[in-house]
Amino acid sequence: MTLEEIEFELELAGLSREQQVKLLSSVKISGFDAKALDKKLQLMGFAPIFSIYEDEDGQNKS
């Protein structure tokens, strides 16, 4: 996923701009990891939204 796609999904999920920037910075540093991002979202009180981008083998879909 591109940063723009991730940002769009975060916006749709209702995250504030500050929360979006925090998560996008994490993605820029560590790369896109759907499970890690969903865990961070859950810790922030949001439902996971990125797990749908992983297949059964745990590989990220782009």
Side-chain angles (χ1 to χ4, degrees):
M1 287 189 88
T2 66
L3 287 174
E4 290 81 15
E5 291 169 328
I6 295 168
E7 183 176 4
F8 179 71
E9 292 291 339
L10 295 173
E11 187 175 332
L12 287 178
L15 277 74
S16 71
R17 185 65 188 145
E18 183 179 319
Q19 292 168 318
Q20 291 176 36
V21 169
K22 187 175 188 176
L23 290 176
L24 289 169
S25 294
S26 172
V27 171
K28 287 178 186 176
I29 293 168
S30 305
F32 176 72
D33 180 338
K35 287 183 182 181
L37 245 131
D38 278 346
K39 185 169 184 158
K40 289 177 183 180
L41 281 170
Q42 287 178 310
L43 291 171
M44 297 168 91
F46 292 92
I49 56 175
F50 292 104
S51 296
I52 63 169
Y53 297 104
E54 290 204 355
D55 62 21
E56 289 96 35
D57 297 328
Q59 298 295 317
N60 292 339
K61 294 182 183 177
S62 299

